[in-house]
């Protein structure tokens, strides 16, 4: 329902169309911080109508809405990080660790019989692969799949256009152990969030060649699978992608016959759910979707604490109008985040507050509000703009003959982004900043605008992970590659703190470093956090083991319909 992107490692992610969503490149699972070295446990569980799969009807089609068909189905490639792709690949490929309802990462027994730190100084992790685990072409999963993914994602070969290198760049070697199903990973540097690595795991055929990595999954998934479902077909005209049961799957058989992903503008999804064309709809922060779902006979709304959040990314690249951090901070002080939060999610979460931390979401140990540097103060914002030479001339400030006009790029058919942009436009006009809202097609919002820095400010959601520090690294680090730092904003202090926090194995010390890191992210005016995105999902009342997962990962084998 909104533009979503993943954050960082593995299943890290963004939400934009009721608000687009991205996942950050970093961690395993796909929720909040884990109750391990990565952070604390979530405050609450989830709301998915848990039912023993033996009591469910065998078969059926599950109609899963996504904002658009992904252009790239390699989730580790720079163009593959959309939330819709995560939902598809999660059913097809291994996630060797899975987050539970508290966000704690545990080995998935379908893929691993054990995984543990077997050495320190240097750090060594040994994985024992389930001997039953096979790719759908019949080849067993083995250490070479791990080695190929490390080779592709460690950043040493720029021909691989990767979404992020965090964690993989800390590995020295991947080698076989006592047999091909034992994997020994030796690190160059301590990496606390090692559980986030190798999820999703792609076959070595994808990772052994840059061309296969960059283009082999463009337009459609490959036929190879090692999950409960496999790719069947994609209809670009009807905007549908179908997965069917994987007959080579060795685990508990899935209850569903098919998962059909339906690409539909987020604004149209609530009505499609109401008329029976979808099995669920992600309400997220959309009040109108929430109210519509309440009217649908036979529907229930499931809610829980969620790890995902809305924000505004600023473009600070050299030559951009917002390249000066002092200007970015002054503009941020002219935006009232409380007004945006109350207007957008107040009817769903009456006491919601703006989010104050780029690393930890509310409800996780380690969270503290560090946003005081951008506290709403329009008078201070005006004074700072004056001091920077941006003088009021009529309704707009001007400096050296150039008006202070910023372009806010948002995806089409995204009511949440549109509403946020209009509020920002009105608030900044009061301090002499003109905001021009540019609405672009949802299908290329990321590829042609966000990913390439074609914006001054832009709105979408980040999907949280169980390993928020490592999954944040690609968003806030600066260096040779952009990764997911789309605004090109950062400094060496941020890079150093990321390195220190990712290497710190003591959870309390790691949390302290993470908050020092967050404070510096605020200080440089990287991005303006808005609010934690409600985890609210409307589903048919006969749907089981699905709904508001909160900090947990989806078990695709258990989704089904009651008898």
């Amino acid at each position: 329902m909104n533009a979503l992107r993943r954050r960082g490692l593995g299943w890290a992610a963004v939400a934009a169309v009721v608000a687009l969503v991205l996942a950050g490149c970093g961690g395993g699972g796909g929720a909040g911080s884990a109750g391990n070295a990565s952070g604390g446990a979530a405050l609450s569980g989830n709301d998915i109508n848990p039912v023993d799969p033996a009591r469910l009807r065998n078969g059926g089609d599950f109609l899963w809405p996504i904002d658009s068909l992904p252009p790239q189905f390699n989730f580790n490639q720079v163009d593959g990080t959309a939330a819709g792709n995560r939902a598809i690949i999660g059913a097809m490929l291994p996630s060797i660790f899975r987050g539970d309802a508290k966000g704690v990462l545990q080995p998935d027994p379908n893929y691993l019989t054990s995984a543990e730190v077997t050495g320190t100084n240097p750090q060594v992790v040994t994985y024992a692969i389930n001997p039953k685990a096979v790719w759908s072409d019949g080849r067993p999963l083995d250490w070479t799949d791990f080695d190929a993914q490390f080779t592709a994602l460690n950043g040493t070969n720029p021909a691989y256009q990767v979404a992020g290198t965090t964690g993989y760049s800390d590995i020295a070697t991947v080698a076989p152990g006592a047999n091909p199903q034992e994997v020994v990973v030796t690190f160059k540097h301590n990496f606390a969030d090692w559980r986030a690595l190798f999820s999703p795991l792609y076959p070595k055929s994808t990772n052994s060649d840059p061309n296969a990595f960059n283009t082999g999954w463009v337009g459609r998934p490959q036929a190879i699978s090692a999950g409960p479902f496999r790719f069947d077909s994609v209809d670009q005209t009807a905007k549908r992608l179908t997965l069917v049961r994987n007959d080579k799957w060795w685990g508990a058989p899935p209850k569903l016959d098919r998962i059909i992903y339906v690409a539909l503008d987020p604004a149209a999804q609530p009505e499609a759910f109401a008329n029976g064309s979808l099995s669920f709809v992600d309400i997220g922060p959309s009040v109108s979707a929430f109210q519509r779902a309440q009217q649908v006979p036979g529907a229930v709304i499931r809610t829980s604490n969620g790890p995902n959040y809305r924000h505004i990314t600023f473009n600070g690249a050299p030559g951009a109008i917002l390249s000066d951090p002092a200007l970015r901070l002054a503009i941020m002080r002219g935006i009232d985040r409380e007004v945006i939060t109350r207007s957008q999610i107040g009817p769903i979460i009456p006491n919601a507050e703006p989010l104050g931390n780029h690393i930890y979401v509310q409800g996780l140990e380690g969270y503290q509000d560090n946003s005081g540097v951008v506290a709403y103060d329009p008078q201070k914002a005006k004074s700072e703009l004056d001091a920077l030479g941006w003088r009021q001339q009529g309704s707009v400030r001007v400096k050296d003959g150039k008006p202070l006009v910023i372009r806010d790029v948002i995806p089409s058919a995204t009511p949440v982004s549109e509403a946020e942009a209009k509020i920002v436009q009105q608030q900044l006009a009061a301090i002499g900043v003109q905001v021009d809202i540019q609405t672009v097609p949802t299908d290329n919002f990321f590829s042609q605008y966000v990913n390439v820095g074609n914006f001054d400010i832009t709105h979408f959601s980040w999907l949280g992970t169980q390993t928020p520090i490592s999954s944040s690294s690609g968003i806030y680090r600066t260096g040779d590659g952009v990764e997911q730092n789309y605004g090109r904003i950062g400094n060496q202090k941020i890079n150093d703190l990321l390195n220190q926090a990712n290497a710190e194995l003591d959870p309390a010390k790691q949390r302290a470093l993470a908050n020092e890191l967050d404070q510096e992210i605020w200080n440089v005016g990287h991005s303006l956090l808005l609010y934690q995105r409600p985890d609210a999902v409307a589903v048919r009342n006969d749907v089981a083991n699905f709904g508001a997962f909160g900090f947990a990962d989806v078990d695709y084998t258990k989704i089904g319909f009651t008898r």
Side-chain angles (χ1 to χ4, degrees), residues 19 65 93 255 306 325 362 381 473 502 512 531:
L93 295 178
K255 303 304 295 185
Q362 296 167 1
S473 295
N502 278 316
Y531 51 86

Side-chain angles (χ1 to χ4, degrees), residues 277-290:
S277 299
L278 299 173
S279 297
F280 76 96
V281 64
D282 179 7
I283 293 169
S286 172
V287 173
S288 62
F290 176 73

Side-chain angles (χ1 to χ4, degrees), residues 379-401:
Q379 292 307 314
K380 184 176 182 179
K382 290 178 182 179
S383 297
E384 290 177 339
L385 291 171
D386 286 339
L388 290 170
W390 291 99
R391 301 290 182 174
Q392 192 89 28
Q393 292 186 14
S395 61
V396 182
R397 292 176 179 272
V398 177
K399 180 179 180 180
D400 298 330

